[in-house]
Structure formats: structure tokens, C-alpha cells
Amino acid sequence: MERGLISVDRWAEGSQAYFLTHLHTDHTRGLSPAWSRGPLFCSRLSAKLLPAKLPGFNLSLLRVLDVGAWHSLSLLSPSSASETLVRVMPLDAHHCPGAVMYLFSGDFGSLLYTGDFRWEMTSEKASRSRDMLVKALDGSRVNTLYLDNTYCNPSYSFPSRRDAAQQVVDIIASHPKHHVIIGIDMLGKEDLLVHIARVLKIKIWVWPERLQTMHILGFDGIFTTKTSLARVRAVPRYSFTLDTLEGLNKMHPTIGIMPSGLPWASKPLDRNENFFDSLARSYYNKKANKDASKEERLHPEIYTVPYSDHSCFMELHEFVQLVQPINMRGIVLSSSCYIDPSHYFGHCNGVCQTFQRVQHKRKESGKEHVRVVRAESSVKVNDSKRKGRKCGTVGVSGVYMSRASASRRRRRGAKIMEDNHAD
């Protein structure tokens, strides 16, 4: 695939078609209400959520892709001006509402970009995605895999999200006279909150913008913005600090719960430090054999529970064995816990371990930045020296996949059409 055709989660000028994996802020940086650089392809649910995140966005730019179906893009070759056909199938990434992986196919072979994903085979939904992916590959190997390697380390072995959610319920139930705050993002972990509400038969407080999201997702009657109606409160995780928790305890006994796969801090917390930043910061202070399957006490009033929306090591291993990539690259390229997936999975089915012309961006705790630049049949890794941010630049045959700056190219037109043949 030539350069200047496709961008994924990268919103700078220079591509004919733009793809959105999901609506977490790190994947929409550069996307604004005034953005108008080309058609934006996304899942149906992301299209439904986007107007609330970007009020005033030109909705005529949206192109909805149905999950599990092949779609064809007719693009113009920048070099020959002739038509080139790229097929794409979105697959549920099971990361947050609307999140998808993209399987691209064309003269270049096949390219699978997972974005953020949780390959949790105990889930019926994930099993359906597996069947869709196997059917789409039709016995072929993936030429190039871009893998969410956030937890690509054997020390990470998470329970299922259902089991982790029950751990949270048990903690709350064991503190019947306490208020509870749970740190979450603007999107994601809805299943956790719904499980808590239904098992304990309670309402959960959320902030007004989050309530709007819940209503869009169809969760009515469970969430409220009235503090008097709820002792369990889901709060923005950036506001989840020791000062916040201690201030709440001055008014009423309160515990905090952090549902996250991030490694747990072993050094004292700074008073105004975001707890989630503290978790990532302290990775090197933890023992490699730390059991990551149970809740931990970070502070006398704080519990951390390994509820992860990213795949753990064994899930990644199973996924790599399934798709049998010829080339493989992790999308997390610079972090305190980064390990190239080829280090562990390179032996699987002859995965090639050298990329060409790879550039890297910074890593921001809990967020990926990925860009695909020019590469051939191999992959070469060039680690960034900047720490503390999950990021990356990866390359495969000129497909752009990043929020980072890229070589400027003139934008050309694109159109999408449904395939007429059966899947």
C-alpha cells in the first residue's frame, strides 16, 4: 500500500481516508469540530457517541462501518493516479463502547491493527469476534500485525473482567457504612458499573457529562448526578488523588477503588498525584512475580483491582498464535514497562522481527499513539528515549496509523462501497 492513502487515529493532513478505532482522548487528539480533512470511518456506536464528544462536528464526514462485514475503499494511487482497492473489516476490540480493530486487505497482503483491545475468550462477545476473524482470514496468515502490547509481560495475568468486577462488589459490600469512589475515564468500564449497581441494587453517581454518555449507551435508571441518592460514585480518574480522598473522609468515611491493570505503586504517594500516574511510575519498584490477579491495598483507604480493558500476556499469546503474523510490532513503543512482543512471540510461526524506518513518539500513561510509516516485509524497532508516555510509530507499506506528525501529502478523494459478494 502506498503512502498517503489511509490514516488510523491520526488526524493530520495527508491521507485520503481516516479511520477511528475508538473515542478515548489519546486517539482523538487533533480531531476537532472544525476538522474536515476527509471522510472519517468508524463503528456505528462511535458515530453515535462522537457528536457528544465533539459538538459541532460535521457529521456528513462520517462513514459508518458495520462490525464483521467487509467494506471496500476505492482510492487513488498518489504515484499513478489510478484506482486502487483496499478492503477493510472492523472487528469488536472489546476495549470500550465503539472500539474496533481493523483488518485491511489488498495488493499489499493483509494488515491487522488491534488498537486498544482485550482478547478475553471467556467472553461470549470475544468468541464471536474470534470466529469473525478466523472466517475473514480464511486460512491465511496476517502479513503485518500491530499489537496492543500494553501488558506484554508474563508477570501480567489478569482475571476476567467479570471476576474482577465481583472483587469490586465484594470490597464495596464489606464497607456498608462507607462512601465509595471509583476512578474511571469518560468512556469505558460501563459493564463494571452496571454489574455493581445490579448486584448491590443501588444507583451510582456520575458527573453530568458521564451521565450523558450513559444515556446515549442506553443505561437509564442506574446512574444519577444526585449525591444524596448514591454512596458509590464514579469519578474522573484525573481527580482521584490522595487529597481528594482525605477531604471526603473528613465529611464521611470513604474508600477509593482503582480498577486498572497498571502495576501497583510501592512507594508513598504524592498528595496531589493522580493515583493512576503513580501506578505506572512505580513499575520498576515491583517484584516481577507479583500476583496481579487479586485486589491490593495501595493506601489504607484505597484498593486497586486488576480490572483491565487491555489484554494480559496469555491473551496476547493466544491472539498471536491465532493470526500467525509474518511481521509483528507492538503499538506501545516507549514506556517504563515496554517489551517488544517479538521478544516473547517472535518464535511463533516464524514471525519476522525487524521493521524498517520506524519513528517513535512519546508514551502518555494509559494511552497509545501509533503511526505507521514506510516499511517493507520486516520491522526495525527504534526506541524513544522519552519516558512516561505510551506511544509509537510503526511501519508497514506506507499505511499511516498515528496521532503524531507525519510527512505532509496532498489529500485526495475516497469513497466506500459495500462488497456484493458473500463474506
Side-chain angles (χ1 to χ4, degrees), residues 123-141:
S123 162
E124 182 179 343
K125 291 181 180 179
S127 295
R128 288 199 295 268
S129 290
R130 183 189 188 281
D131 293 341
M132 288 180 184
L133 179 56
V134 169
K135 183 178 179 181
L137 292 175
D138 193 24
S140 300
R141 298 174 63 180

Side-chain angles (χ1 to χ4, degrees), residues 388-406:
R389 188 171 284 239
K390 187 189 295 184
C391 69
T393 307
V394 287
V396 151
S397 300
V399 180
Y400 283 74
M401 296 185 177
S402 168
R403 276 78 61 196
S405 60

Side-chain angles (χ1 to χ4, degrees), residues 141 316-318 320-326 328 341-342 344-353:
R141 298 174 63 180
L316 293 174
H317 186 262
E318 179 180 348
V320 170
Q321 287 185 317
L322 176 68
V323 302
Q324 302 181 46
I326 297 172
M328 179 169 54
S342 294
Y344 288 114
F345 308 139
H347 65 283
C348 296
N349 302 300
V351 173
C352 186
Q353 300 184 40

Side-chain angles (χ1 to χ4, degrees), residues 14 40 98 111 162 202 227 235 260 320 327 338 347 355-356 377 380:
L40 189 159
L111 186 153
R162 177 175 290 276
I202 59 174
T227 56
V235 302
S260 173
V320 170
N327 299 314
Y338 169 72
H347 65 283
F355 269 120
Q356 298 178 359
S377 60
K380 179 180 179 182

Side-chain angles (χ1 to χ4, degrees), residues 319-339:
F319 187 78
V320 170
Q321 287 185 317
L322 176 68
V323 302
Q324 302 181 46
I326 297 172
N327 299 314
M328 179 169 54
R329 181 67 182 140
I331 65 174
V332 183
L333 300 182
S334 177
S335 76
S336 60
C337 53
Y338 169 72
I339 293 180

Side-chain angles (χ1 to χ4, degrees), residues 82-245:
S82 62
E83 184 180 32
T84 183
L85 193 67
V86 176
R87 300 176 71 214
V88 58
M89 176 186 287
L91 297 161
D92 197 331
H94 307 288
H95 174 68
C96 70
V100 291
M101 301 182 275
Y102 287 111
L103 176 62
F104 294 96
S105 178
D107 293 339
F108 52 89
S110 61
L111 186 153
L112 177 58
Y113 172 60
T114 68
D116 296 349
F117 85 126
R118 178 81 194 259
W119 196 248
E120 189 178 7
M121 284 299 101
T122 56
S123 162
E124 182 179 343
K125 291 181 180 179
S127 295
R128 288 199 295 268
S129 290
R130 183 189 188 281
D131 293 341
M132 288 180 184
L133 179 56
V134 169
K135 183 178 179 181
L137 292 175
D138 193 24
S140 300
R141 298 174 63 180
V142 168
N143 290 87
T144 305
L145 170 66
Y146 291 100
L147 183 70
D148 175 11
N149 58 319
T150 302
Y151 298 120
C152 184
N153 188 304
S155 64
Y156 295 121
S157 178
F158 306 137
S160 69
R161 281 177 285 194
R162 177 175 290 276
D163 288 346
Q166 188 57 46
Q167 290 180 26
V168 175
V169 168
D170 292 343
I171 292 169
I172 297 172
S174 67
H175 295 79
K177 297 186 181 302
H178 282 68
H179 287 171
V180 181
I181 60 171
I182 303 173
I184 62 170
D185 289 315
M186 185 64 184
L187 186 66
K189 295 185 170 61
E190 289 79 12
D191 289 345
L192 169 62
L193 299 180
V194 170
H195 181 77
I196 294 169
R198 289 177 176 170
V199 172
L200 297 178
K201 296 180 173 56
I202 59 174
K203 286 183 177 289
I204 294 178
W205 180 94
V206 293
W207 64 101
E209 294 80 7
R210 196 56 157 100
L211 184 63
Q212 181 186 18
T213 299
M214 294 303 195
H215 286 165
I216 293 173
L217 295 173
F219 297 120
D220 297 318
I222 298 175
F223 302 98
T224 180
T225 55
K226 297 180 179 179
T227 56
S228 61
L229 298 179
R231 75 178 185 96
V232 176
R233 304 171 189 176
V235 302
R237 69 175 189 172
Y238 63 78
S239 68
F240 200 99
T241 66
L242 186 57
D243 274 347
T244 297
L245 190 58

